[in-house]
Amino acid sequence: MKGCGPYIVDEIEYKNLNAEMNQFYDKSFKDVDEVKPLTVEEGQICVVFSEELKCWCRAVIKSIMYCTDHYQTECFLVDYAKYVFVKSKDIRVALEAFMRIPYRAKKCRLFRTKPVTLRIDFCEDTAKIVPARRWDSAATRYFQNLLKATTQMKAKLCAVEGNTFDVFLYVTIKDEKVCVNDDLVSKNFARFEEAKENTGTCADYQENQTSLNAESLPMKIVNPAHAFRPVLFQEKIPTNLETGLAVSSSFLEETYERSSTDLNESTASIVKAIPVLPFKENRAVCPDRLQQFLNCDPLKTHIIEDDQQSFRNLSEERDFVCLSNKIEPSSILETAPLFDGLKKELTRKKFLGPNFTESYCWPAVARGCDVVAISYQGNDPFLYIPPVLTFLQSGSCYKALPNRNGPLALILCPGWKKAHLVFDLLKTYERCSRQLHPMLIILGQNKEEARSVKIRGCEVIVTTPYSLLRLFEHHSLLFCRLCHLVLDEIEVLFSDAIEQVFTILDCYKKAIITEEWEYSPHQIIAVGTRWNKHIPRLIKEFMNDPYIVITAMEEASIYGNVQQVTIWVVQPCMNSERTAVLLKILDFTHNNLQKVLVFTNSVNEVEIIHKVLKSNSIFSLKIHEKSECSLKYIIQQWTKKYSSGTHVVLVLTDDCMQSLRITDATCVIHFSFPSPRIFGQRLHSMSDNFCNVIKDSSVDQQYTKARSVILLTENNNTCHALGILHYLQHAEAEIPPELHDFMAKMLEAEEDKKFSRPLCAYLKTFGTCKSRTVCPDRHQINLQIDVCQNIPDKIIQTPGCVTILPLHIVNATNYFGRIVDKQKDQYTILAEEINEYFKKPSNKISVKNVEKLAFYGLCEKTLFHRVQVLEISPKEEENLFFNVKIKYIDEGRTSQVQSYQLLHLPAEFQCLPPQAVEFVVCRVKPIDNEIEWNPKVTHYIHHKIKGKLHEAKIVHTLGNTAWVDPMVRVTRLSDLKMSVNEYNIRSEILSTGLGTDNPEHITQLQKLSGHIKVLDDVKNLEPLSMKEDTAGPKNVSNPQNMSIQENSTENCNSSKITFGDHRCDGVVAQTKETEESTLHQHICFHPEIKWFQNEETVTVKVKIASVADCKCEFSKEKVVFSACSGDKLYLADMELHQYILAEKSTCVIKDKEAIIVLVKEKKGAWCKLLKNKNPQVSLDFEHWEDFEDKSPFPVGTKKLYCPAAVTEELVESSEDSETESDE
């Protein structure tokens, strides 16, 4: 290879190396165990014997295959560029002495030569050559044939990039020299790529020889005794291995693109020498699966992302821990109290070692002790699964137990979803342990199901409290062998199933009293993210001197009985007011030593407070980043031995806490409001004075050594304040009345931030949302968004039985489908026309420029659908086609398709609005306080109802959502001229045993519809406006705009208010704490409006009796009418479809109506009055006959053709409806 220089090692050195390896490994056949690896893994570097070459060769293991009495490995010989299969007996450890020269095989690629491929556009019937990521098979075959025919081969090194040589390859064929790079380009197999600025030259790399030397890819090669220990357990060993580069292949691309650390980790493991070595898939433990189960801590509810990250990593920054008993933590996997097989498995999965909380929990759990662990990561099952599995390996501990069927360990989870996660983790790590036969048991209310459960041989059960008690009714010996009881997410268990949990604890306690348990382990483990007021009872009545581990310092302060005091400062802007409050707090009456920390956010506040304290003869210290006092002096003064009754006050900023490391303060005053990130750090300053009220029952709950005082004002950061206030409620601290009002305002403000969000799915499905404060969606009606969409007006006005066709099943009670017209279904007519239209090949016109939110046709099997584009993925440069996310507007489901599959949809097929309606079955919800339906119920309902016509009664409507009760499948017997109710959906759900009655469902929805948010100023009542707005539909008559509301989530669609008497009450929807508070209400009504037109004017009749204080404002494109009638205020803010002459338009008041005459700017027919649809606006047919011949409305026709400029809503024929929409 020309131009290589230092990259080539003399051939003699490879021959000498080969001779030395053969001599060493042939002579060491007697001591094979010394040079034979303990374990073998993919990517491992070793020495193997090649039957084909009859010699020992350096190799990298690619894959491993098991046989009956041994296993075979596929290896890549790094000095011969060959793949061979080697038996396990022919694998040896690669000694350091044999790894000093680079690999002989080099990985090369053709310099600046990139592959191309032929791309065919079936729609345009064209083909062209475009760049590609991979070489075509034809190009590969041509290249191979070229090499086979060559008599001489040379390569010129042009550049080195990473681990790859870029070369010009020259071959000699029949005495003719050919450049392979040029030849591939000339044959249209490749293209030349322009040179990059950062591409190095051969000269550049010769100057920096380390780019291909051993140092460039350092790899730890140790003596055989240490070669196969995990990297975590190895001592630091000098690295001087030279690593070469391999010939181009998919395997070595993957191998050498990894860092040396990855190679070491994959090479290393801790496996004992056994006949058949266990090999596991190399998959890292992924924490993302646990994130959906992380309950948002109140302190982390409304904080910015940086604060959230800092808050979660608080324990890592300062390693805060509160312990009831001394525990020696195990911070590395090597010393962790886990059995070897589990350590191997964790090492294979790239487990980095126990986190801070796990380092304290694992030793206690592995000893069989009772444990209570509260941590920010308290809902991670890894807090207990590894040590429990370790304890279960010791079979001798359970020999005294009765020889019956029953589990040794029981894991109680708060819901079926978390139970599935825990069970999956158990199945994953059970592979490396003895057979435990874990079972996941989720039972409904059907007794037969519980009776049929068999638990023979099962040693671990994962379930929920409700399911366990149902099982216990039919298996009375369930607790006879139970040794380990795990309570996962203890705070949720106590919140949702406290009676069931304590019933289970009582049963467990009774079971272990017998003599058989004297020499058997009995252990209770409770883990969670928050301290709960019922945990002390759990500890006192059911645990034996438990290890309490709390790494969330806010929760430790509750456990430590810290007195939480909140003081409302009336005049927050006045420093004198705040300092006066501070002096009152420091009016000491205790005779004990008082050490007080006053925390502020600024240097200026420190100086002011210090000066005020000195002027009031209070001994105080101060420290901040600009302070003249040395840190050493402050620590000396603080740690002095003071007599009883002495009061020491230290005023400081938060950045000084880390350096001072104070833990013996008796009081912390938050003069400046704390952010959640540092709130726990401040409380940690009192950790030495936390009281263990569980051990010392004589401690007076009213008097505590430690006290935390928060000065709260209206100027505080709302996000932080709300989190702290939730924490104070959780701590059951006394909150002043002013603070309750402030909290109500903050909660209202938080809800207002969600005002443009979709309506909460849980609110629609069950009538309530359990996580209202953390739910991202809206929980109140927004008139700008909540406009009727796809539900026919006549159904809203006269609710009754309708025929519905479920097409997309979201869950057991939530579906998308269509309302089918019994007399004349317009969609059926349209679907026939669409399919008839696209049968002609000439009509299948592919879309060239795909636009977001536009409508297209799509062929699915043999049917054509109307779809709307929701998202367009970024186009890849080498791809002609790209993925788009679409929604089937007549079915409600979404999908991903290729852009070329979208077909042009003529305007006449877009006239009919989207037909997909969301249906919710009422008065049924999941059992056991679950918030999601069990997949078994959803699967059962899916197969039962999808694509079948059902009869349903609509009892409530909001926007595109219709609540139905009942929903029945009716079978018509034509011969007998009768119908039979085949099944009722609600009854079917209840029959599964996994659903229960929800009588408050409709009541909650009606209550929601009665509380409508409107603005205070009548002149600015934008929610009643029909103008365009980003939060509302831009043009409800246009199906494209009507579907915008549905795009955010499939389950949370925009809502609509059924006006009834058109009343809108302005009561803000709030959380349970503030829902009942009386707020100022604003009541407005939308009048009934009828309109007709001639060629020059539009006449609008506003139906209001006894009109008073009438006001009508005209503009070019808008009319705002307001009037009073008795106690009622009427307002109609109308954004017109076309322009008018405002100066010529008039308003006249008659007896029971106001008549508005609008003069058109351009003569001609209007196909609708308003831009946006309003159910209170309709045509006046009494005055329509004069203009009927020129009407643009296609009344009573089968085919619907609309003007291209305006997309109209379908107008039903006069046979079906007496009045028609304005659109």
Side-chain angles (χ1 to χ4, degrees):
M1 181 181 289
K2 293 184 179 180
C4 266
Y7 303 131
I8 294 298
V9 178
D10 195 282
E11 188 70 18
I12 297 175
E13 293 194 33
Y14 285 108
K15 290 183 179 180
N16 294 337
L17 173 67
N18 192 37
E20 291 174 5
M21 284 198 302
N22 286 323
Q23 183 180 12
F24 175 80
Y25 289 109
D26 285 341
K27 287 186 177 180
S28 61
F29 70 94
K30 294 182 180 179
D31 301 319
V32 171
D33 291 339
E34 293 184 5
V35 291
K36 196 170 183 180
L38 297 176
T39 184
V40 177
E41 292 184 345
E42 294 180 10
Q44 185 173 318
I45 303 167
C46 57
V47 175
V48 301
F49 185 78
S50 170
E51 295 289 347
E52 178 185 355
L53 300 175
K54 301 298 181 184
C55 64
W56 292 93
C57 310
R58 299 185 296 179
V60 174
I61 296 174
K62 179 182 178 183
S63 62
I64 303 166
M65 294 165 289
Y66 289 101
C67 301
T68 53
D69 57 344
H70 66 285
Y71 57 88
Q72 279 195 339
T73 59
E74 183 184 15
C75 300
F76 179 77
L77 306 183
V78 295
D79 294 322
Y80 298 91
K82 288 186 177 182
Y83 288 93
V84 297
F85 285 96
V86 179
K87 293 183 179 180
S88 55
K89 63 183 182 67
D90 293 330
I91 302 176
R92 300 291 183 268
V93 171
L95 298 184
E96 182 181 354
F98 301 138
M99 304 300 293
R100 289 177 180 170
I101 64 175
Y103 297 155
R104 198 177 181 188
K106 309 294 181 184
K107 179 180 176 182
C108 303
R109 67 184 175 197
L110 300 178
F111 180 59
R112 289 170 54 187
T113 308
K114 301 299 178 182
V116 296
T117 188
L118 187 66
R119 181 146 298 162
I120 300 174
D121 188 336
F122 294 98
C123 299
E124 297 183 357
D125 201 20
T126 59
K128 58 182 178 181
I129 294 175
V130 297
R133 287 184 174 182
R134 299 176 180 274
W135 290 95
D136 277 353
S137 56
T140 305
R141 199 159 40 246
Y142 177 78
F143 181 76
Q144 291 172 340
N145 293 336
L146 206 62
L147 298 185
K148 288 179 182 178
T150 186
T151 55
Q152 189 179 13
M153 192 183 311
K154 292 183 179 180
K156 180 180 179 181
L157 180 62
C158 299
V160 178
E161 184 177 345
N163 301 327
T164 307
F165 285 4
D166 287 335
V167 300
F168 275 114
L169 182 63
Y170 298 92
V171 297
T172 303
I173 302 175
K174 296 180 180 179
D175 298 329
E176 181 181 353
K177 192 173 183 180
V178 178
C179 176
V180 176
N181 305 51
D182 296 335
D183 192 45
L184 289 174
V185 173
S186 66
K187 297 290 194 302
N188 283 331
F189 287 126
R191 63 181 175 88
F192 278 123
E193 184 183 48
E194 294 298 325
K196 298 179 182 178
E197 293 181 3
N198 59 350
T199 303
T201 62
C202 184
D204 296 333
Y205 280 95
Q206 286 178 0
E207 291 179 6
N208 184 13
Q209 297 183 10
T210 59
S211 61
L212 283 178
N213 281 349
E215 290 90 348
S216 66
L217 286 174
M219 195 172 298
K220 294 182 181 178
I221 299 297
V222 298
N223 61 59
H226 296 136
F228 296 96
R229 297 185 68 197
V231 175
L232 285 171
F233 308 159
Q234 291 180 8
E235 298 175 356
K236 293 183 178 179
I237 300 171
T239 58
N240 56 358
L241 166 68
E242 286 194 342
T243 306
L245 299 169
V247 170
S248 175
S249 71
S250 60
F251 165 65
L252 286 183
E253 283 177 6
E254 296 174 2
T255 304
Y256 287 100
E257 283 176 0
R258 295 181 305 172
S259 67
S260 60
T261 305
D262 292 334
L263 283 171
N264 284 326
E265 289 179 356
S266 64
T267 304
S269 67
I270 177 167
V271 182
K272 293 182 179 178
I274 51 177
V276 180
L277 299 176
F279 297 93
K280 304 294 180 186
E281 59 179 344
N282 190 13
R283 185 179 64 190
V285 179
C286 183
D288 291 342
R289 294 186 59 214
L290 302 176
Q291 292 302 318
Q292 56 188 309
F293 301 101
L294 296 181
N295 296 325
C296 189
D297 189 276
L299 289 172
K300 297 182 284 182
T301 301
H302 302 281
I303 53 181
I304 59 175
E305 188 174 348
D306 291 341
D307 276 351
Q308 286 180 326
Q309 187 63 34
S310 303
F311 202 82
R312 284 194 294 267
N313 295 337
L314 191 61
S315 60
E316 297 176 7
E317 292 177 5
R318 286 285 306 271
D319 292 345
F320 296 144
V321 64
C322 178
L323 302 171
S324 62
N325 297 299
K326 186 177 180 181
I327 303 174
E328 192 64 35
S330 299
S331 57
I332 59 174
L333 190 60
E334 183 180 20
T335 60
L338 308 179
F339 67 100
D340 290 343
L342 185 55
K343 288 182 181 178
K344 298 177 213 169
E345 186 69 15
L346 292 172
T347 303
R348 287 194 186 99
K349 293 184 178 296
K350 308 294 176 62
F351 184 71
L352 300 178
N355 60 33
F356 182 69
T357 307
E358 289 166 353
S359 68
Y360 282 92
C361 287
W362 285 6
V365 174
R367 293 176 201 164
C369 303
D370 292 339
V371 175
V372 174
I374 306 296
S375 166
Y376 301 128
Q377 299 84 26
N379 43 20
D380 185 350
F382 246 67
L383 282 176
Y384 59 84
I385 284 180
V388 168
L389 285 176
T390 299
F391 200 101
L392 289 171
Q393 302 309 303
S394 177
S396 59
C397 296
Y398 308 106
K399 288 183 178 179
L401 295 175
N403 189 18
R404 298 170 183 167
N405 287 315
L408 295 176
L410 174 65
I411 302 176
L412 287 182
C413 299
W416 64 264
K417 208 166 188 178
K418 181 63 179 289
H420 274 276
L421 172 73
V422 173
F423 180 73
D424 290 343
L425 287 174
L426 280 174
K427 292 294 290 182
T428 299
Y429 292 100
E430 182 219 11
R431 301 169 191 163
C432 59
S433 69
R434 69 181 182 88
Q435 292 297 314
L436 300 174
H437 305 289
M439 287 182 65
L440 174 65
I441 300 178
I442 305 294
L443 297 175
Q445 295 174 335
N446 292 344
K447 295 185 178 181
E448 285 299 323
E449 185 182 9
R451 192 177 290 113
S452 63
V453 174
K454 305 295 181 185
I455 54 176
R456 291 180 181 176
C458 168
E459 296 193 4
V460 181
I461 288 180
V462 183
T463 185
T464 64
Y466 293 95
S467 295
L468 181 67
L469 291 180
R470 294 184 190 114
L471 183 67
F472 184 57
E473 290 180 12
H474 304 281
H475 296 78
S476 57
L477 300 178
L478 191 63
F479 293 92
C480 67
R481 288 171 50 85
L482 186 62
C483 297
H484 311 275
L485 176 59
V486 180
L487 305 176
D488 194 310
E489 294 189 45
I490 185 67
E491 74 281 1
V492 183
L493 289 174
F494 279 150
S495 172
D496 295 345
I498 183 170
E499 293 182 9
Q500 290 74 19
V501 171
F502 278 113
T503 300
I504 293 168
L505 288 167
D506 286 331
C507 294
Y508 177 65
K509 186 176 181 180
K510 292 174 183 177
I512 63 176
I513 292 176
T514 60
E515 294 181 0
E516 298 170 335
W517 286 88
E518 186 176 355
Y519 301 104
S520 300
H522 42 88
Q523 179 184 42
I524 297 177
I525 303 166
V527 298
T529 58
R530 301 174 69 186
W531 184 263
N532 186 279
K533 61 183 179 181
H534 299 291
I535 294 179
R537 179 187 169 190
L538 167 69
I539 294 172
K540 291 177 181 179
E541 296 184 16
F542 302 99
M543 290 184 167
N544 180 24
D545 192 21
Y547 283 80
I548 300 175
V549 180
I550 307 178
T551 56
M553 198 47 56
E554 302 81 14
E555 305 303 319
S557 69
I558 300 176
Y559 159 75
N561 200 30
V562 174
Q563 182 185 5
Q564 301 287 345
V565 180
T566 306
I567 298 177
W568 183 260
V569 181
V570 180
Q571 297 177 338
C573 297
M574 300 291 292
N575 281 329
S576 58
E577 179 70 22
R578 297 173 69 195
T579 51
V581 173
L582 177 63
L583 292 174
K584 290 180 182 179
I585 298 171
L586 296 176
D587 185 13
F588 301 106
T589 56
H590 297 298
N591 294 323
N592 299 327
L593 172 64
Q594 295 293 311
K595 289 187 171 184
V596 181
L597 294 176
V598 180
F599 286 100
T600 72
N601 288 338
S602 68
V603 173
N604 186 44
E605 286 183 341
V606 172
E607 295 293 342
I608 292 173
I609 295 171
H610 181 65
K611 189 179 296 184
V612 170
L613 294 178
K614 286 186 70 176
S615 64
N616 284 270
S617 303
I618 297 176
F619 174 65
S620 67
L621 306 167
K622 67 173 181 179
I623 186 170
H624 49 75
E625 58 182 2
K626 299 179 181 179
S627 177
E628 297 178 358
C629 296
S630 67
L631 184 68
K632 186 176 180 181
Y633 170 77
I634 296 297
I635 295 175
Q636 286 177 349
Q637 292 296 315
W638 183 266
T639 56
K640 270 186 181 179
K641 288 188 177 181
Y642 294 98
S643 60
S644 181
T646 305
H647 308 134
V648 182
V649 180
L650 173 59
V651 188
L652 71 161
T653 52
D654 292 318
D655 51 8
C656 300
M657 282 190 293
Q658 296 267 357
S659 304
L660 292 172
R661 295 189 176 273
I662 294 173
T663 58
D664 63 342
T666 59
C667 179
V668 165
I669 299 176
H670 309 276
F671 188 84
S672 296
F673 195 77
S675 69
R677 187 179 67 85
I678 61 172
F679 183 63
Q681 295 184 25
R682 291 182 177 184
L683 294 177
H684 182 258
S685 303
M686 303 183 290
S687 56
D688 290 353
N689 291 312
F690 287 177
C691 300
N692 190 339
V693 295
I694 296 171
K695 284 189 174 183
D696 187 4
S697 58
S698 63
V699 174
D700 185 359
Q701 295 292 323
Q702 300 300 320
Y703 168 73
T704 59
K705 291 183 179 179
R707 189 168 62 139
S708 170
V709 183
I710 300 177
L711 300 184
L712 196 60
T713 72
E714 290 188 0
N715 287 354
N716 293 134
N717 185 303
T718 304
C719 297
H720 294 166
L722 195 58
I724 298 296
L725 288 174
H726 280 300
Y727 168 74
L728 294 175
Q729 286 184 329
H730 166 52
E732 297 184 345
E734 184 178 350
I735 300 178
E738 300 89 350
L739 198 52
H740 280 291
D741 297 336
F742 178 57
M743 189 172 184
K745 292 178 182 178
M746 288 196 297
L747 291 172
E748 180 182 343
E750 288 298 314
E751 280 297 323
D752 287 344
K753 291 178 182 178
K754 310 172 188 175
F755 209 45
S756 61
R757 292 283 303 165
L759 193 63
C760 173
Y762 294 109
L763 201 63
K764 292 195 290 186
T765 309
F766 307 125
T768 59
C769 178
K770 293 176 67 176
S771 305
R772 196 160 188 160
T773 56
V774 296
C775 177
D777 290 325
R778 178 167 47 93
H779 301 90
Q780 55 187 336
I781 298 300
N782 182 349
L783 290 181
Q784 288 180 314
I785 295 178
D786 299 334
V787 179
C788 177
Q789 294 183 20
N790 304 337
I791 303 173
D793 290 340
K794 63 180 182 181
I795 293 176
I796 298 171
Q797 294 164 5
T798 58
C801 292
V802 295
T803 302
I804 65 176
L805 182 66
L807 298 171
H808 174 55
I809 313 302
V810 179
N811 57 47
T813 57
N814 188 205
Y815 333 118
F816 283 86
R818 290 192 295 109
I819 296 177
V820 180
D821 194 324
K822 299 176 184 178
Q823 298 176 359
K824 185 180 180 181
D825 188 29
Q826 298 290 349
Y827 176 75
T828 303
I829 298 172
L830 182 67
E832 292 175 357
E833 294 178 357
I834 291 175
N835 282 277
E836 190 68 28
Y837 173 83
F838 282 118
K839 279 184 180 179
K840 298 179 181 179
S842 60
N843 291 333
K844 297 179 182 178
I845 304 172
S846 292
V847 179
K848 295 182 178 179
N849 297 319
V850 179
E851 297 180 4
K852 189 175 181 180
L853 302 180
F855 284 83
Y856 303 103
L858 177 69
C859 181
E860 191 175 65
K861 296 181 180 178
T862 59
L863 297 177
F864 290 86
H865 303 268
R866 298 192 302 168
V867 300
Q868 182 185 32
V869 174
L870 301 183
E871 294 178 9
I872 302 176
S873 63
K875 296 182 181 180
E876 299 177 357
E877 294 181 2
E878 62 272 17
N879 288 342
L880 179 63
F881 308 118
F882 49 91
N883 288 328
V884 293
K885 183 179 180 182
I886 54 118
K887 180 172 184 175
Y888 295 78
I889 62 172
D890 300 313
E891 296 184 13
R893 59 190 171 101
T894 58
S895 179
Q896 290 273 356
V897 298
Q898 286 283 311
S899 60
Y900 70 83
Q901 295 178 262
L902 299 178
L903 305 175
H904 175 70
L905 188 67
E908 60 264 29
F909 298 142
Q910 301 184 32
C911 294
L912 189 67
Q915 296 294 292
V917 177
E918 183 181 19
F919 301 104
V920 178
V921 175
C922 299
R923 297 189 304 113
V924 63
K925 63 181 179 180
I927 59 173
D928 305 342
N929 292 323
E930 295 277 6
I931 61 173
E932 294 185 39
W933 284 106
N934 192 301
K936 290 193 290 186
V937 192
T938 300
H939 186 265
Y940 171 72
I941 296 298
H942 178 276
H943 285 277
K944 198 169 191 69
I945 72 171
K946 185 178 180 182
K948 299 178 182 178
L949 290 173
H950 292 74
E951 300 298 320
K953 182 179 180 181
I954 296 180
V955 295
H956 196 69
T957 56
L958 286 177
N960 194 44
T961 305
W963 283 261
V964 294
D965 186 23
M967 178 175 168
V968 182
R969 168 69 170 168
V970 178
T971 302
R972 289 177 174 80
L973 305 176
S974 56
D975 295 339
L976 300 177
K977 296 182 179 180
M978 62 182 297
S979 300
V980 178
N981 290 349
E982 192 174 328
Y983 56 79
N984 183 316
I985 298 299
R986 181 175 177 274
S987 300
E988 289 295 312
I989 294 173
L990 293 174
S991 68
T992 64
L994 295 168
T996 187
D997 191 32
N998 183 16
E1000 299 297 322
H1001 191 180
I1002 296 299
T1003 305
Q1004 293 291 340
L1005 292 171
Q1006 291 171 345
K1007 184 178 179 181
L1008 177 70
S1009 296
H1011 293 168
I1012 303 173
K1013 178 82 171 181
V1014 298
L1015 299 181
D1016 292 339
D1017 191 351
V1018 176
K1019 295 181 181 179
N1020 296 321
L1021 277 175
E1022 294 298 329
L1024 293 179
S1025 174
M1026 292 168 243
K1027 69 178 183 179
E1028 291 186 15
D1029 188 88
T1030 55
K1034 293 184 179 178
N1035 190 341
V1036 180
S1037 68
N1038 189 330
Q1040 176 172 329
N1041 296 320
M1042 292 169 64
S1043 300
I1044 294 173
Q1045 305 299 325
E1046 303 165 17
N1047 295 342
S1048 52
T1049 61
E1050 193 173 69
N1051 296 338
C1052 295
N1053 292 281
S1054 302
S1055 303
K1056 182 261 171 197
I1057 299 171
T1058 54
F1059 283 89
D1061 65 348
H1062 326 319
R1063 172 175 167 174
C1064 307
D1065 295 34
V1067 180
V1068 181
Q1070 300 172 355
T1071 57
K1072 292 181 179 178
E1073 294 80 10
T1074 60
E1075 235 170 27
E1076 302 303 324
S1077 60
T1078 304
L1079 299 177
H1080 182 60
Q1081 301 185 14
H1082 300 279
I1083 303 174
C1084 61
F1085 296 87
H1086 195 290
E1088 181 184 356
I1089 295 175
K1090 289 183 178 293
W1091 72 285
F1092 62 94
Q1093 65 175 322
N1094 58 36
E1095 193 168 5
E1096 297 180 351
T1097 64
V1098 174
T1099 303
V1100 179
K1101 293 184 177 181
V1102 184
K1103 303 287 186 178
I1104 302 177
S1106 303
V1107 177
D1109 297 330
C1110 173
K1111 186 178 181 181
C1112 189
E1113 297 179 358
F1114 298 96
S1115 64
K1116 188 176 182 180
E1117 57 184 2
K1118 187 175 182 181
V1119 177
V1120 180
F1121 175 88
S1122 62
C1124 292
S1125 178
D1127 298 332
K1128 297 181 178 179
L1129 167 67
Y1130 289 90
L1131 176 71
D1133 188 349
M1134 298 175 283
E1135 189 164 5
L1136 302 173
H1137 170 60
Q1138 293 191 24
Y1139 294 152
I1140 64 171
L1141 300 175
E1143 63 277 6
K1144 295 184 179 182
S1145 300
T1146 60
C1147 176
V1148 179
I1149 306 299
K1150 290 192 175 181
D1151 294 336
K1152 294 185 178 180
E1153 61 185 14
I1155 299 178
I1156 304 172
V1157 180
L1158 308 175
V1159 180
K1160 299 177 181 178
E1161 186 179 68
K1162 294 181 181 179
K1163 294 181 180 181
W1166 288 14
C1167 65
K1168 55 183 177 180
L1169 176 64
L1170 306 177
K1171 279 189 177 181
N1172 298 331
K1173 179 181 176 182
N1174 189 302
Q1176 306 310 316
V1177 180
S1178 61
L1179 296 172
D1180 188 350
F1181 285 97
E1182 295 178 1
H1183 299 81
W1184 198 260
E1185 52 272 11
D1186 296 336
F1187 203 62
E1188 187 173 13
D1189 294 338
K1190 298 181 181 180
S1191 171
F1193 292 90
V1195 180
T1197 59
K1198 177 181 178 181
K1199 295 186 179 181
L1200 307 173
Y1201 297 99
C1202 297
V1206 180
T1207 304
E1208 301 172 23
E1209 182 181 356
L1210 171 65
V1211 180
E1212 300 171 341
S1213 67
S1214 59
E1215 298 175 357
D1216 298 332
S1217 177
E1218 294 181 6
T1219 61
E1220 306 217 11
S1221 169
D1222 63 301
E1223 295 173 62

